[in-house]
Amino acid sequence: MSKGPGLFSDIGKKAKDLLTKDYSSDQKLTVSSCSNAGVALTSTAVKKGGLSTGDVAAQYKYKNTIIDVKLDTASIISTTLTFTDILPSTKGIASFKLPDYNSGKLEVQYFHDHATLTTAVALNQSPVIDVTTTIGTPSIAFGAEAGYDTTSGGFTKYNAGINITRPDSSASIILGDKGDSIKVSYLHNLDQFKKSVAVAEIIRRFSTNENTFTVGGSYAVDHLTQVKARLNNHGKLAALLQHQIIPKSVLTLSGEVDTKALDKKPRFGLAIALKP
């Protein structure tokens, strides 16, 4: 695919990932392997509170096609087929779940050096059509997305955003929730080796007159260990430690405490990902 402005979902993604990715209050174990036939297998077990769930996923790549199949403990089979370069600069994604026959979805993504366009259609009796478009360059991109319900004749969503990327920083503004909220985020690399990163995000919700301000950062202690932390204006403080115990296998310890209610029990999470 071309190196254009990226998808609409990429706007603000760097800041969002730094503030949310890998933070958890669950216990999770993931084991990955690959068979001689080229099938990648991933088994996941999650314990959340007193409830335990799990799934087994398989991925197989054949020429320009990627087949993903997942079976979980609720007996739901999720299948995704990804087709690349059937047409120049185009990707097709078909997904469905069984036994929910109305869960089918078909998406087409088109990539250009200065624009991207995606169209997704739900394959059921009341289809919803989602469209996103982004124009610009890898340095600056403008984007918008909309969802239309063909049955009710109304929009399910419409959002817009702008993203500016520099070698040492990234900033974005997203107008979301049908114009009811605005999110502004800024990420900055504090050193030339990108070992230390700081991020700030503010979300304003107009209907409730509520502001949420979050600051966070990450620091690479060495090539095997990383620490992250975040704090918002509601007093929620979270931190995590991520360490590569063996090549490609990662241990993540995370926790969150409400600094405005220290009598509440802190939440802790543990995740282990083992890969061949």
Side-chain angles (χ1 to χ4, degrees):
M1 299 302 175
S2 62
K3 296 181 179 180
L7 300 170
F8 179 81
S9 57
D10 294 330
I11 295 179
K13 186 176 185 301
K14 291 182 179 180
K16 179 181 178 181
D17 284 350
L18 198 151
L19 289 174
T20 62
K21 188 177 181 181
D22 297 323
Y23 286 98
S24 174
S25 58
D26 309 328
Q27 288 74 52
K28 182 177 180 180
L29 173 64
T30 303
V31 180
S32 301
S33 62
C34 188
S35 68
N36 295 331
V39 178
L41 300 173
T42 302
S43 300
T44 303
V46 179
K47 183 178 182 181
K48 185 174 183 179
L51 180 64
S52 297
T53 60
D55 61 66
V56 178
Q59 182 183 83
Y60 180 68
K61 298 180 180 180
Y62 178 74
K63 295 183 179 180
N64 294 332
T65 303
I66 302 175
I67 304 173
D68 291 279
V69 180
K70 183 172 69 174
L71 172 64
D72 62 24
T73 51
S75 300
I76 296 177
I77 302 174
S78 304
T79 303
T80 303
L81 304 176
T82 304
F83 308 94
T84 59
D85 293 329
I86 294 180
L87 297 175
S89 304
T90 301
K91 177 189 292 186
I93 304 173
S95 61
F96 57 91
K97 295 181 180 180
L98 297 176
D100 184 4
Y101 298 99
N102 292 319
S103 63
K105 184 178 180 180
L106 179 62
E107 180 177 359
V108 177
Q109 300 177 349
Y110 174 72
F111 298 83
H112 186 269
D113 289 340
H114 298 293
T116 61
L117 175 66
T118 72
T119 302
V121 181
L123 303 178
N124 53 42
Q125 295 180 350
S126 304
V128 175
I129 302 175
D130 294 328
V131 177
T132 75
T133 182
T134 310
I135 60 174
T137 67
S139 298
I140 181 170
F142 303 86
E145 70 171 349
Y148 183 75
D149 190 327
T150 58
T151 301
S152 64
F155 286 97
T156 59
K157 62 180 178 180
Y158 43 83
N159 307 310
I162 177 175
N163 195 86
I164 301 175
T165 303
R166 296 288 182 266
D168 62 347
S169 63
S170 175
S172 67
I173 301 175
I174 299 176
L175 184 65
D177 300 312
K178 298 183 179 180
D180 183 53
S181 68
I182 185 170
K183 179 169 69 174
V184 180
S185 61
Y186 177 74
L187 179 147
H188 189 83
N189 296 303
L190 301 179
D191 60 84
Q192 60 177 337
F193 301 107
K194 299 183 179 181
K195 293 179 60 177
S196 304
V197 184
V199 63
E201 177 189 85
I202 183 169
I203 302 175
R204 169 74 173 178
R205 190 168 295 277
F206 300 108
S207 60
T208 59
N209 199 31
E210 181 183 4
N211 295 321
T212 301
F213 180 68
T214 308
V215 294
S218 68
Y219 176 70
V221 179
D222 52 40
H223 68 286
L224 298 176
T225 308
Q226 182 185 47
V227 293
K228 294 170 59 177
R230 72 183 184 202
L231 174 67
N232 66 21
N233 61 315
H234 301 299
K236 298 295 181 65
L237 173 64
L240 69 82
L241 169 68
Q242 198 166 61
H243 179 71
Q244 187 175 196
I245 47 180
I246 57 176
K248 298 182 180 181
S249 297
V250 179
L251 168 68
T252 303
L253 299 171
S254 59
E256 183 180 86
V257 61
D258 189 343
T259 60
K260 294 184 178 181
L262 295 178
D263 56 321
K264 291 184 178 181
K265 186 179 180 180
R267 299 192 302 171
F268 296 98
L270 169 65
I272 302 176
L274 304 177
K275 298 182 180 181

